[in-house]
Amino acid sequence: MRFSVFLNARSLGPDQDRKLMKDLEAHAKLAADLDYDAIFLPDHHFNGYMPVASDSFIFAGYLAAQMPQMHFGFSVVSVPLHHPVRFAERINILDQLTEGKLLVGVGSGTTPEEMIGFAVDYRDAGAIAENNLALAEQLWAKDMEDPAVVIDNGPYKGRVLQRITPAPYTPGHARLMPVAMKEASSRRAAENGWPAFIPAFTPPKIGGTEPFVHVSKWFEIYKGFLLEAGHSDDVVKSALDWTTHTYQVVHVAHSDDQAREELEVILRSYQEAIEREAEFNARAESDDANRKTDRTPDALSEDWIGTWCLYGSPQTVQEHLAPYAELGIGNVLCGTTTGPLTEQRLAYGDQTLRLMAEKVMPAFKAAVPA
């Protein structure tokens, strides 16, 4: 198993933004020093959720220069919010800077507030995402003498005459990582030999107390498509090595009681931040075009904790992860800075990084190739 760190902290105002960026830089460096495999970043705009995620490609490039051994990933790029040319260009640049150590999660986005800021109708987000991905593939494949690629997709227009620069480092282009929740997404990942994100819930319910049931279902569907695709053993192994299960909150302490008590501190602060943002979400959803049809449970509910949290003593966390390793999950993505990034929250995150690295990861990392 690989272990990666998900930088997913919140700022409560502009006066906190710079400190958050510097604190996350230090947290990422600690993860690199402790032999984590990758740093993942989200893609968000306008609200306090990861202010630097307004352009995670820039922040990833900045971090990559300081820790060249690390892989970098995105969980996930909201494809409808990116012009397909800029999407393809940014990925190629970062693919070159990381020498191919790049994993680009892709999805259609979840937040109406972000959609209206980019003139995207929330109802059209899925179709725009699919068309953007198809256009990006055309752009990556285009040689200089090929006919122009014409772009006419929602708010995005254009006509590319020459080619995308720079060329990718990875043959074709960097690996994309769809979320393996729909058959089309699972097949896209499998047929291209890419890894995938494996969800722990089944819509319309976003939460529950039996996450492994859902992880097993989605993983087996994806793996079946991957084995059917006729790839070499090396391609299959590489895809499964990075097939990822995500925990929004990972918190490890010296005892289960301590971990639960500290987890509730983290989640209360996180839920307060969510409720503070609710007013703006309501404004964005004031018309039918931007109204969400699914709802996430309260973060302090057992349904949310059961789906999104991994917590306990090192022994408890190790026991929890054992069946996921046996199933074949290749990468555990650990949200270690979830919620407002106070000094206490950062200390909890650093505590988790160290305890995971010292007392959990050694039991699972032996099989990871150099």
Side-chain angles (χ1 to χ4, degrees), residues 142 250 273:
K142 186 185 182 311
V250 175

Side-chain angles (χ1 to χ4, degrees), residues 133 172 225 313:
L133 290 172
F225 290 149
S313 66

Side-chain angles (χ1 to χ4, degrees), residues 184-203:
S185 298
S186 289
R187 283 192 181 277
R188 175 185 288 122
E191 290 173 0
N192 285 282
W194 298 332
F197 287 100
I198 308 299
F201 62 91
T202 300

Side-chain angles (χ1 to χ4, degrees), residues 30 47 49 67 102 135 162 198 215 218 242 275 298 341 362:
L30 177 60
N47 56 44
Y49 179 25
M67 47 192 82
L102 185 62
L135 286 162
Q162 294 195 48
I198 308 299
V215 171
W218 298 119
W242 282 105
E275 291 170 1
D298 185 288
L341 197 59

Side-chain angles (χ1 to χ4, degrees), residues 26-94:
H27 191 69
K29 287 179 179 177
L30 177 60
D33 291 342
L34 292 170
D35 200 30
Y36 285 80
D37 293 282
I39 299 294
F40 277 70
L41 295 158
D43 174 28
H44 283 290
H45 306 267
F46 311 128
N47 56 44
Y49 179 25
M50 274 295 288
V52 71
S54 57
D55 197 331
S56 291
F57 289 91
I58 290 178
F59 196 49
Y62 172 72
L63 294 177
Q66 302 180 63
M67 47 192 82
Q69 80 281 14
M70 292 290 275
H71 286 72
F72 285 86
F74 298 97
S75 179
V76 300
V77 175
S78 295
V79 177
L81 307 185
H82 294 261
H83 192 291
V85 169
R86 296 296 285 146
F87 177 76
E89 289 174 337
R90 284 187 170 103
I91 289 173
N92 280 16
I93 291 170
L94 201 51

Side-chain angles (χ1 to χ4, degrees), residues 164-188:
I164 293 298
T165 61
Y169 180 92
T170 302
H173 57 79
R175 289 171 290 182
L176 305 187
M177 287 183 66
V179 179
M181 189 175 281
K182 298 178 181 177
E183 180 176 336
S185 298
S186 289
R187 283 192 181 277
R188 175 185 288 122

Side-chain angles (χ1 to χ4, degrees), residues 185-224:
S185 298
S186 289
R187 283 192 181 277
R188 175 185 288 122
E191 290 173 0
N192 285 282
W194 298 332
F197 287 100
I198 308 299
F201 62 91
T202 300
K205 186 176 181 181
I206 306 178
T209 56
E210 296 182 302
F212 188 72
V213 171
H214 302 280
V215 171
S216 299
K217 176 184 71 174
W218 298 119
F219 178 81
E220 293 297 347
I221 291 171
Y222 161 72
K223 184 178 178 181

